[in-house]
């Protein structure tokens, strides 16, 4: 079975997005590359914290992220999300549709749900893959990422999450750089 990995930067950005909007559902795109059956997640692009079902805004965000990914030598390889309820870890229908859309242009798509109830654990992710339009769970041990709980706690205490910018923030203030998140990237490099 394939082994998937998540970089330090991608791991922290997903968690910081969840921390910034801890009472809302959030989602974003996974950027990276496929190496054979293995998927390497190098970065994430935070998308939404308000309404996850807005098709026109999703189309714009997907197109802009696709261009950004190609320019940086990557591609959109999946989606991540966290539900509003801390006890709910199943992906919503809209998140599954986004993952299926990504899979339609790739051979596979990775969907990573953030387990809000266990966000401080060594592995707060519940991974899935989409193949032939079907969502399939992946054993947690097949998604490799470093234990960042200590580093994450430090970033929470310093309120670093407030510097993270998602596409919703960009729509409110177009001068905010939601694709690169330079203030966050400089801390997670």
């Amino acid at each position: 079975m394939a082994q998937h990995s998540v970089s330090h930067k991608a791991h922290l950005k997903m968690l910081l997005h969840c921390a910034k909007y801890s009472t809302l559902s959030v989602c974003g795109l996974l950027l990276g590359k496929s190496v054979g059956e293995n998927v390497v997640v190098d970065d994430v692009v935070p998308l939404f914290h308000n309404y996850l079902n807005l098709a026109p805004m999703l189309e714009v965000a997907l197109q802009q992220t696709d261009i950004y990914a190609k320019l940086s030598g990557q591609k959109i390889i999946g989606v991540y999300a966290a539900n509003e309820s801390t006890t709910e870890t199943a992906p919503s229908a809209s998140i599954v549709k986004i993952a299926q859309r990504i899979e339609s242009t790739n051979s596979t798509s990775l969907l990573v749900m953030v387990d809000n109830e266990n966000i401080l654990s060594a592995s707060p992710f519940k991974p899935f893959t989409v193949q032939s339009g079907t969502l399939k769970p992946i054993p947690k041990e097949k998604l490799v990422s470093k234990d960042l709980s200590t580093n994450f706690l430090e970033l929470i205490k310093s309120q670093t999450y407030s510097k993270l910018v998602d596409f919703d923030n960009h729509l409110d203030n177009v001068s905010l750089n939601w694709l690169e998140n330079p203030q966050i990237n400089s801390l997670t490099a």
Side-chain angles (χ1 to χ4, degrees), residues 88-100:
E88 181 60 52
T89 58
S92 67
S94 60
I95 295 300
V96 172
K97 284 181 184 176
I98 295 170
Q100 289 169 330

Side-chain angles (χ1 to χ4, degrees), residues 10 17 29 37 50 53 56 59 61 63 68 75 77 94-95 98 100 105 132 139 144-145 149-150 159-160 173 187 189:
H17 195 199
L29 298 172
E37 288 186 3
N50 279 329
N53 299 347
E59 287 301 318
Q63 288 175 359
Y68 169 74
K75 64 181 183 175
I77 56 172
S94 60
I95 295 300
I98 295 170
Q100 289 169 330
T105 60
S132 303
V144 179
S145 62
S149 54
T150 306
Q159 296 184 350
T160 301
N173 179 351
L187 298 171

Side-chain angles (χ1 to χ4, degrees), residues 8 12 15 119-122 146-157:
H8 177 216
L12 278 177
L15 297 183
I119 201 164
L120 296 177
S121 71
K146 294 180 182 175
D147 179 2
L148 303 176
S149 54
T150 306
N151 189 314
F152 178 60
L153 276 174
E154 291 169 12
L155 294 174
I156 293 298
K157 288 178 185 173

Side-chain angles (χ1 to χ4, degrees), residues 7-27:
S7 73
H8 177 216
K9 176 171 64 172
H11 186 140
L12 278 177
K13 284 171 77 175
M14 282 188 271
L15 297 183
L16 289 172
H17 195 199
C18 293
K20 184 172 182 179
Y21 300 106
S22 60
T23 61
L24 301 171
S25 296
V26 300
C27 75

Side-chain angles (χ1 to χ4, degrees), residues 50-65:
N50 279 329
Y51 304 103
L52 307 184
N53 299 347
L54 294 178
M57 292 299 95
L58 176 61
E59 287 301 318
V60 171
L62 281 168
Q63 288 175 359
Q64 289 184 5
T65 304

Side-chain angles (χ1 to χ4, degrees), residues 29 31 45 47 61-69 76 178-179:
L29 298 172
L31 303 183
V45 175
L47 292 184
L62 281 168
Q63 288 175 359
Q64 289 184 5
T65 304
D66 188 49
I67 292 167
Y68 169 74
I76 300 171
W178 66 284
L179 287 166

Side-chain angles (χ1 to χ4, degrees), residues 77-177:
I77 56 172
V79 61
Y80 74 89
N83 290 316
E84 186 175 343
S85 169
T86 58
T87 58
E88 181 60 52
T89 58
S92 67
S94 60
I95 295 300
V96 172
K97 284 181 184 176
I98 295 170
Q100 289 169 330
R101 166 88 186 274
I102 294 165
E103 188 250 348
S104 72
T105 60
N106 296 323
S107 59
T108 188
S109 175
L110 188 62
L111 188 158
V112 176
M113 290 300 297
V114 180
D115 182 353
N116 285 325
E117 208 166 47
N118 296 304
I119 201 164
L120 296 177
S121 71
S123 182
F125 304 125
K126 187 175 178 183
F128 299 86
T129 187
V130 177
Q131 294 176 326
S132 303
T134 305
L135 187 68
K136 298 177 184 175
I138 301 171
K140 267 188 158 185
E141 59 273 6
K142 296 294 180 186
L143 183 70
V144 179
S145 62
K146 294 180 182 175
D147 179 2
L148 303 176
S149 54
T150 306
N151 189 314
F152 178 60
L153 276 174
E154 291 169 12
L155 294 174
I156 293 298
K157 288 178 185 173
S158 65
Q159 296 184 350
T160 301
Y161 56 83
S162 66
K163 297 176 184 175
L164 183 120
V165 177
D166 65 11
F167 186 65
D168 277 337
N169 299 134
H170 172 74
L171 293 174
D172 292 336
N173 179 351
V174 295
S175 70
L176 298 175
N177 188 342

